[in-house]
């Protein structure tokens, strides 16, 4: 899979974070090639939205309306610096599907706990994989926002472990497609 990643004035080592994410997904049978593009979108805003899990702060306008989406990629994402927003109105990571491919907003913040940006990247990509599986005809439930043991990416007893299990049939399909 290929992903175009817009890097918007982030202050963290995103290359290291994405290298770790690339390794994580590879170990689970999903290869994602990330192409980074520096961007300089300024004066971004936010909107408050009510979800079943509670109120969330999202980028406004949705960045899929702003950055170019290349249909030859499997995903597009926009990585932004949370320090550019006034607390407590800092947008969160968010994966949605405006067209034929998932679009991912990734919050980074140099003041986050050490693992949080990495987990956010992986978490939002799990949502994207669920979208891809459902597009391919697999009825996969998305359990990522249960946040069950959410920082334990490697445990079967976590939202990640449960999501990998639910994605297994789709992953088998991808593996067969590689052959």
């Amino acid at each position: 899979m290929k992903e175009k990643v817009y890097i918007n004035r982030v202050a963290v080592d995103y290359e290291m974070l994405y290298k770790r994410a690339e390794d994580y997904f590879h170990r689970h049978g999903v290869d994602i090639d990330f192409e980074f593009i520096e961007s300089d979108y300024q004066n971004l805003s936010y909107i408050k939205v009510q979800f079943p899990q509670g109120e969330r702060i999202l980028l406004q306008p949705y960045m899929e309306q702003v950055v170019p989406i290349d249909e030859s990629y499997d995903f597009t994402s926009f990585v932004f610096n949370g320090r550019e927003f006034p607390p407590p109105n800092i947008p969160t990571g968010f994966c949605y599907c405006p067209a034929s491919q998932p679009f991912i907003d990734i919050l980074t913040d140099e003041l986050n706990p050490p693992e949080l940006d990495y987990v956010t990247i992986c978490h939002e990509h799990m949502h994207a994989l669920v979208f891809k599986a459902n597009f391919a005809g697999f009825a996969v439930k998305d359990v990522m926002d249960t946040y069950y043991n959410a920082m334990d990416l490697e445990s079967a007893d976590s939202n990640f472990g449960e999501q990998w299990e639910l994605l297994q049939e789709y992953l088998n399909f991808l593996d067969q497609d590689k052959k």
Side-chain angles (χ1 to χ4, degrees):
M1 294 187 178
K2 298 185 317 182
E3 179 173 343
K4 192 171 276 195
V5 183
Y6 290 87
I7 303 295
N8 203 69
R9 296 190 320 275
V10 301
V12 299
D13 185 356
Y14 67 87
E15 289 174 333
M16 180 271 303
L17 293 169
Y18 273 86
K19 187 68 177 151
R20 288 181 64 200
E22 181 180 0
D23 177 63
Y24 173 75
F25 285 100
H26 175 75
R27 286 184 282 112
H28 288 276
V30 178
D31 291 317
I32 305 174
D33 295 321
F34 299 106
E35 178 185 330
F36 300 108
I37 298 168
E38 295 287 334
S39 63
D40 190 29
Y41 295 99
Q42 298 182 27
N43 302 316
L44 299 175
S45 189
Y46 63 89
I47 185 172
K48 295 179 181 183
V49 178
Q50 193 64 39
F51 283 98
Q53 303 85 2
E55 184 177 84
R56 302 261 314 262
I57 310 288
L58 304 178
L59 287 174
Q60 185 65 29
Y62 293 124
M63 292 310 293
E64 55 85 16
Q65 299 170 359
V66 178
V67 301
I69 294 179
D70 184 337
E71 295 295 327
S72 69
Y73 288 78
D74 296 288
F75 315 105
T76 302
S77 61
F78 182 77
V79 183
F80 64 95
N81 185 344
R83 292 286 106 200
E84 295 181 359
F85 294 87
N89 297 311
I90 301 171
T92 63
F94 183 52
C95 181
Y96 52 103
C97 206
S100 63
Q101 65 174 258
F103 193 96
I104 307 167
D105 293 331
I106 301 287
L107 161 71
T108 62
D109 189 327
E110 66 266 25
L111 299 180
N112 275 345
E115 289 296 295
L116 189 56
D117 289 342
Y118 166 67
V119 171
T120 298
I121 291 167
C122 293
H123 176 103
E124 297 305 333
H125 280 83
M126 294 297 285
H127 286 301
L129 287 173
V130 170
F131 278 122
K132 297 293 281 183
N134 284 302
F135 285 159
F138 297 87
V140 177
K141 180 180 176 184
D142 191 326
V143 298
M144 290 307 297
D145 288 345
T146 63
Y147 299 104
Y148 177 66
N149 292 331
M151 295 298 287
D152 198 353
L153 281 68
E154 302 298 339
S155 174
D157 188 32
S158 69
N159 59 336
F160 282 91
E162 186 178 347
Q163 194 67 70
W164 282 120
E165 185 65 30
L166 292 169
L167 282 164
Q168 192 56 56
E169 191 177 347
Y170 175 62
L171 298 176
N172 294 343
F173 168 76
L174 291 178
D175 192 42
Q176 289 175 353
D177 206 33
K178 292 179 192 174
K179 295 176 183 177

